[in-house]
Amino acid sequence: MAFFGYIGVFMCGIIGFSGKLDAKKVILDGLTTLEYRGYDSCGVCLVDTDHKFSIVKSTGKVVDLLPKVDEIITKETHVGIGHTRWATHGGVITENAHPHHAGLVNLIHNGIIENYLSLREQYKLDNALEGGTDTEIVANILNLIYKKNKNEPLSSIKKLTDIIKGTFAFLIMFEDRPDEVYAIKHVSPLVCAKSNDGSFIASDITALMPYTKEFSVIEEGTIVCADKDSLKAYDLKTLKEISLKTETITWSVDTAKKDGYNHFMLKEIHEQCTALENTIKPRIIDFNIDLSNDGIEDNAYEFFKKIEKIHIVACGTALHAGKVGASVFQDVLNIPVDDYIASEYRYSNTLTNDKTLVIVLSQSGETIDTLASLEKAKSKGAKVISIVNVKGSTIARNSDYVLYTHAGPEIAVASTKAYTVQVATIYLLLTKIASVRSAIDRSYEKSVCENLYASIENIKTALQKENEIKDIVKYISSSHDAFYIGRGLDYVFSLEGALKLKEISYIHTEAYAAGELKHGTIALIEDGTPVIAVCTQSDIATKFLSNVKEVKARNAYVILIITDGIKYEKDLADIVIKIDKVDDKFSVFPVAVITQLIAYYTAYTKGLDIDKPRNLAKSVTVE
Ligand code: M6R
């Protein structure tokens, strides 16, 4: 056995199909769509019309796998599975790509098997393994169980799940059952669908959108068997057939296409007016916030009245959206509104109790740390409201209440439109809570609604700065480091601006609260260091502009993003980008657009793979 170190296969995209269509095309198209979940390596297992099983896999992206599949699999195929992988440690090598084959079993996996070492020993697999993945061990064990179990698939899968520990979404094909694809999951997400063309199983619905709008979430403890005529579900304990609950997705298949844009990210930046409108419109009636269609009415109101604190929990960009909400509304609500990084929250003593409202935010609805925080909060008696983009996702299903954002599918790894609508949704929710608690009067609620509507126009105006920004980024794109600075809410916006810039341009970018610069960070400012200074908070603008002067005095190259009307000295900045005058609490929307465009065009100028930045994946489904 070649030993490359055992590898957890974490945030992967998986798809399976059995039906009338060309399986090669369905699987490879699906993998292309799911590639945002991971793109270190990919592979397929397809069955041709002679019932011959072929595995083709390699490191790199799906586009590079395509010619190899065409070369090796020349006959028609109608059944298959495919996998695109994001690995955490160990080599990205073909041996570790999925599918894994052992005897009669071909298997793909999203998740991590924690007891792989003891299983390897127990089943004496040392000589059977080619690569270094936990998944290969599972494929081998399942093959042994299957043989022992007289080739009975359901009970074999059940036995497998009895002995493995960890998280998983498996798709399995047994070579003596060439029409069938089996699925089982624990924690890692899976959905399935049946159309006239056949049966589909995938990590998420984006891969199924070209074929159907009806889908079912595969629940814990359910085995699914897909063949060309049927999609059956079985209870894992009893192995009796059960029914699948069908849901409908409202997203259109076109929203998951680039529509002439060079990248999904740019398309998604431009979709923000529509996303914002779709998210707020159903929830604002006559300038009153109405969340009754989200189930937030009398029962929730009773809870809102008794809460003593609010915890906002999320990761990455979603956390930044939560931080904006916390910063704006703590004063308004006059109770502690604290934001937490989900991976910290789940392991800290956060004093969560039955008088805590926990708001979790997640585009994908699958982020494992956010999900674990949600479960922890519930176990402490807190109520959880989630703000989620993907319908039927685990976080949405496990929350007490869910407010869906209506951004449509977000494909680019870097989050843009999801952020905007998360901010808008948390504004609506926190205003509603403030209103129920009589912390605000009617005019405040009305002004939030008016400003949210006005933000649609403010985003439009900010988008018109696109050409101006294309020129500005030339300077940033040749730098190794950059800084975002701001004070108050502008500091919070800076955190997101810096994340966007670093994740797709690979320029080391940090966000600093401008008042903190003198306590250490200003030592990093050299001749020409780009500093993007965000100045939209009128109450603190004078103090902030003094901080900008301090970096300018150290020869920083200053790009000032400033609200029209705030006065500044002409020689303070090398470049000035003005945003329209807006209520300070709502400058988040135009600033988001400007900072997203700065990040996009910087990465574009550098010729980088913007939609799939290195080392990242869209959906982070293990810790
Ligand atoms: O799906 P989620 O919103 O839970 O994802 C959380 C983060 O991984 C995500 O916001 C990430 O930081 C962004 N894609 C970065 O642009």
Side-chain angles (χ1 to χ4, degrees), residues 54 127 195-196 206 223 254 281 311 338 347 474 476 552 560 567 603:
S54 307
N127 297 325
S195 80
N196 291 337
T206 52
I223 302 175
D254 293 335
K281 214 171 165 183
H311 290 171
D338 296 315
Y347 294 117
K474 281 187 197 127
I476 308 176
K552 189 69 203 147
L560 180 64
K567 294 206 170 16

Side-chain angles (χ1 to χ4, degrees), residues 50 96 344 464 488 540 543 550:
D50 293 337
N96 290 336
E344 296 294 324
Q464 286 159 9
I540 195 112
K543 295 230 180 294
E550 289 157 8

